[in-house]
Amino acid sequence: MDKMKPLRFGVLGAAKIARSFIAGVGPSEFVDIVAVASRDLAKGQQFANELGVPHAHGSYEALIDDPNVDAIYVPLPNTLHAEWVIKALNAGKHVLCEKPIAISQTDTLAMFEAARRNRRFLAEAYPYRAQEQTLALRRLLDEGAIGRVQTVFACFGVKFADPSNIRLDPERGGGALLDAGSYATNMVRMVAGEKPSRVNAIARWAQTQVDLTVIANLEFPSGLLGQISCSFNTAYHRHALIAGTDGILETTFLNSPPDAGPPEIHVRRGIPATTVRETITLAGGNGFLAEAESFARAVALGPEHWTGSTEQESIETIATLEAIARSIRSGNWENV
Ligand SMILES: NC(=O)c1ccc[n+]([C@@H]2O[C@H](COP(=O)([O-])OP(=O)(O)OC[C@H]3O[C@@H](n4cnc5c(N)ncnc54)[C@H](OP(=O)(O)O)[C@@H]3O)[C@@H](O)[C@H]2O)c1
């Protein structure tokens, strides 16, 4: 990336996660955060001052029209992703959109169509996908380290109880499924390499009527079976267990290891219960930095340089989440 000009990012909304994104990409030579926008200019200016961002806009429109901005980072409530991603693409910006990319497959298809129409790069932000831990996991699977994958389980649980949090608001795309569940589903979809054909699921509900805890079974056309669990009512946990015909992989899928544990993968290459468990230790580091630099490489050099969720994976992840949401309510298997 030696001759690359830094990609100039603008941040849409003074969101909590934007603080982590801006701090994370701070050391990059390849990405500059040049502006932020808030619906409230004073809030935006304070946010910019605190985080060392050179410019604040008092409207989202002003940011997406800013000629000094090449790309927009979208950390808005889930229900606003589609609208602002499409507006930013139509204004000629590349877009890195927080997960879940949208609240429906229909919206997601429209977003990628806008990217194609405007010849701009759009990607969904899952920092774990830029981590060495995930890249090594994908290599192990590709090499056949555990044979043919038969089952994959991914879970992500955290605790959110403050009713003012957008995650507990049904009007702003709240619920554990779209939040933590999008991570677990994206992980299972990545390992499977295909879209599930059908799903079934059960849930527990928050007082605000969003789903609080969800477990879902996923059936894949290849015969692989998957399961995800996600919750806003547990202690922090986030890992995956992948079982193949000839071995087992156990891993966390962390955004910025070692903040929530070491970046390790545990492998058992063999069938008997006595098979030795190997620990592979990878490099960690800030996931927002790795993700933003991968995004900048994709913009400068081509989409094959993006290590994150592909267009197809993002579309199939949201399609799966929608089918899980339908199954929670219907009590039936739902086609994806
Ligand atoms: N990748 C990850 O690991 C990760 C982690 C956390 C969050 N996220 C994602 O990032 C997004 C934001 O999450 P967050 O926790 O950072 O949210 P947040 O702190 O509540 O911030 C959301 C921002 O959206 C803007 N906004 C515009 N319309 C709004 C409305 N009607 N209600 C509330 N806010 C509104 C606000 O900015 P202004 O007031 O400045 O306009 C607000 O600061 C979500 O999509 C979430 O899933 C991803």
Side-chain angles (χ1 to χ4, degrees):
M1 295 218 300
D2 290 351
K3 294 195 180 110
M4 245 172 67
K5 272 201 313 190
L7 186 71
R8 300 169 302 173
F9 260 103
V11 173
L12 208 59
K16 281 193 285 299
I17 195 64
R19 290 178 178 273
S20 307
F21 180 80
I22 294 167
V25 305
S28 180
E29 291 170 47
F30 307 110
V31 176
D32 285 340
I33 309 290
V34 296
V36 61
S38 173
R39 294 163 301 168
D40 170 347
L41 180 59
K43 178 182 170 188
Q45 279 166 337
Q46 188 181 341
F47 182 92
N49 288 342
E50 274 175 44
L51 293 157
V53 178
H55 193 76
H57 291 286
S59 77
Y60 296 168
E61 286 84 357
L63 180 73
I64 63 176
D65 288 336
D66 183 338
N68 296 316
V69 168
D70 307 311
I72 305 281
Y73 170 64
V74 177
L76 297 174
N78 300 337
T79 43
L80 296 177
H81 289 182
E83 175 188 347
W84 284 101
V85 165
I86 291 172
K87 283 182 175 163
L89 290 164
N90 287 344
K93 310 303 189 202
H94 305 283
V95 181
L96 176 62
C97 179
E98 266 306 338
K99 45 53 63 178
I101 190 159
I103 58 167
S104 73
Q105 183 182 354
T106 305
D107 283 353
T108 307
L109 291 170
M111 292 155 84
F112 281 107
E113 173 50 32
R116 240 184 306 283
R117 200 173 53 244
N118 291 295
R119 298 173 194 275
R120 290 295 178 270
F121 186 59
L122 165 64
E124 184 178 19
Y126 288 106
Y128 89 95
R129 293 289 301 259
Q131 284 296 342
E132 280 302 319
Q133 188 184 34
T134 310
L135 303 180
L137 175 69
R138 290 170 63 185
R139 280 195 299 273
L140 286 163
L141 290 167
D142 288 349
E143 286 162 20
I146 61 167
R148 285 190 314 283
V149 176
Q150 302 296 295
T151 61
V152 50
F153 169 68
C155 59
F156 186 7
V158 282
K159 185 86 104 178
F160 288 115
D162 175 359
S164 70
N165 191 314
I166 55 170
R167 288 167 185 73
L168 293 173
D169 183 351
E171 301 300 317
R172 286 179 287 185
L177 181 62
L178 281 177
D179 191 87
S182 69
Y183 265 100
T185 303
N186 185 268
M187 176 67 169
V188 170
R189 164 64 188 80
M190 180 187 81
V191 173
E194 61 180 349
K195 183 173 81 161
S197 44
R198 59 177 193 155
V199 300
N200 74 12
I202 49 175
R204 296 288 175 262
W205 300 92
Q207 281 181 347
T208 60
Q209 303 307 314
V210 300
D211 54 87
L212 187 68
T213 300
V214 177
I215 289 194
N217 297 310
L218 288 66
E219 184 176 48
F220 290 85
S222 64
L224 188 152
L225 297 177
Q227 189 175 56
I228 64 122
S229 86
C230 56
S231 183
F232 281 167
N233 199 28
T234 68
Y236 180 91
H237 64 283
R238 175 164 160 152
H239 55 261
L241 169 61
I242 305 163
T245 48
D246 303 312
I248 303 294
L249 282 161
E250 287 173 88
T251 183
T252 49
F253 47 110
L254 303 174
N255 278 346
S256 296
D259 64 349
E264 291 175 346
I265 299 176
H266 303 288
V267 198
R268 287 201 285 124
R269 299 174 202 254
I271 295 168
T274 50
T275 305
V276 173
R277 184 179 190 251
E278 258 175 72
T279 297
I280 303 174
T281 303
L282 288 314
N286 189 284
F288 293 110
L289 175 63
E291 172 184 78
E293 291 195 337
S294 170
F295 187 92
R297 275 194 298 275
V299 167
L301 308 170
E304 67 279 11
H305 293 269
W306 173 239
T307 62
S309 190
T310 62
E311 172 176 344
Q312 194 178 353
E313 285 175 319
S314 290
I315 291 167
E316 293 180 4
T317 297
I318 191 63
T320 306
L321 293 168
E322 273 194 292
I324 293 171
R326 287 197 302 276
S327 176
I328 292 168
R329 286 167 178 82
S330 70
N332 298 323
W333 282 95
E334 295 284 347
N335 293 328
V336 177

